[in-house]
Amino acid sequence: MRKTIIAGNWKLYKTINEAIELANGLKRELFKANFSAVDVVLCPVFTALSEVAEVLNETDIQLGAQDLYWQDEGAFTGEVSAPMLKDAGCRYVIIGHSERRQFFGETNEMVNKKIKAALKHELTPIICVGENLQEREANNTFKVIEGHIQGALVDISAKDMLKSVIAYEPVWAIGTGKTATGEQAQEVHKFIRDLLRKIYGEEVASSVRIQYGGSVKPENIVELMGKPDVDGALVGGASLKVDSFSSIVIKASEVVK
Ligand code: 13P
């Protein structure tokens, strides 16, 4: 049994006060519902982490960051390390998001180093993979996904893999309002799980959670979660409002597999 995991990637949105307000709103709304069947993770900008951690203190909602640097400390201007994220209250960290690959030149090699740093400091990496439109249209989806997975997981042990989460985010579905259909998501999620089986064997393949991300909304979460290999969602735009994100969490918690 894989526990559903719904994470909100707040991207480059929300000042500290706005982040506190959103976290408080979600805390109130989710407190009324029974979401114990779902792991809920909020990933604000770095500057709001400590304050949001305080809001989430003594709740079951977890904190995550959107990126990290692989060195613990040093002369690396502008970076934030795994121990610093732990210090701010994080349990999770998103790694290799397509926006980081696209706009900040992140390579599979860098993604791999970041995953290792997260695991070394007991942060759960949410490892993002996904093809862009051109790659999909050229029928290269599986090739791209395989490259992302193989590249990300170099020298990651089965034990560490069991502590990790994968997010399949087709780039063409991010922020576009174009969601992958349940079938499209399932096809790639199954491909990823089969790949994990080849690399690590059955225990890892059947235990690792694979989230879908890309225009997830209250209107499509049930269809996506209904698929056997979809174990949750990484939500962008719809995670910025109390109503839509809490509705996604509640609807996801009602899907019985
Ligand atoms: P949207 O939900 O806004 O499409 O973003 C998805 C995403 O990139 C989450 O990491």
Side-chain angles (χ1 to χ4, degrees), residues 99-161:
E99 286 149 17
R100 298 226 45 93
R101 295 179 192 257
Q102 194 180 341
F103 303 128
F104 303 98
E106 273 193 20
T107 61
N108 284 335
E109 211 176 23
M110 291 159 78
V111 169
N112 177 250
K113 286 186 184 171
K114 291 183 176 195
I115 295 168
K116 286 176 181 155
L119 288 162
K120 179 175 155 207
H121 293 283
E122 292 171 334
L123 286 164
T124 298
I126 297 180
I127 306 163
C128 300
V129 301
E131 82 288 2
N132 63 32
L133 187 61
Q134 249 182 333
E135 292 161 341
R136 174 161 281 261
E137 286 178 344
N139 279 327
N140 281 333
T141 298
F142 293 146
K143 204 172 117 197
V144 171
I145 301 296
E146 177 155 10
H148 283 173
I149 294 276
Q150 299 276 16
L153 301 184
V154 173
D155 294 332
I156 304 290
S157 67
K159 201 167 136 232
D160 275 343
M161 198 55 227

Side-chain angles (χ1 to χ4, degrees), residues 3-151:
K3 190 173 181 188
T4 298
I5 174 166
I6 306 288
N9 174 7
W10 294 2
K11 305 193 179 181
L12 188 54
Y13 291 99
K14 306 286 177 191
T15 60
I16 293 173
N17 280 338
E18 289 165 350
I20 292 172
E21 195 183 322
L22 176 55
N24 265 318
L26 288 169
K27 182 169 132 178
R28 264 195 305 273
E29 209 50 43
L30 292 175
F31 181 72
K32 290 190 250 164
N34 175 12
F35 72 97
S36 56
V38 178
D39 281 337
V40 179
V41 185
L42 306 183
C43 305
V45 293
F46 289 135
T47 49
L49 285 172
S50 299
E51 279 81 357
V52 172
E54 221 164 281
V55 174
L56 302 183
N57 193 20
E58 291 181 13
T59 73
D60 288 331
I61 306 173
Q62 305 290 335
L63 188 69
Q66 299 174 19
D67 186 28
L68 55 62
Y69 189 59
W70 56 81
Q71 298 281 356
D72 289 358
E73 60 179 15
F76 303 104
T77 303
E79 297 296 324
V80 177
S81 70
M84 290 165 186
L85 296 181
K86 288 278 292 216
D87 187 40
C90 291
R91 299 260 307 261
Y92 289 81
V93 58
I94 298 170
I95 292 178
H97 191 280
S98 62
E99 286 149 17
R100 298 226 45 93
R101 295 179 192 257
Q102 194 180 341
F103 303 128
F104 303 98
E106 273 193 20
T107 61
N108 284 335
E109 211 176 23
M110 291 159 78
V111 169
N112 177 250
K113 286 186 184 171
K114 291 183 176 195
I115 295 168
K116 286 176 181 155
L119 288 162
K120 179 175 155 207
H121 293 283
E122 292 171 334
L123 286 164
T124 298
I126 297 180
I127 306 163
C128 300
V129 301
E131 82 288 2
N132 63 32
L133 187 61
Q134 249 182 333
E135 292 161 341
R136 174 161 281 261
E137 286 178 344
N139 279 327
N140 281 333
T141 298
F142 293 146
K143 204 172 117 197
V144 171
I145 301 296
E146 177 155 10
H148 283 173
I149 294 276
Q150 299 276 16

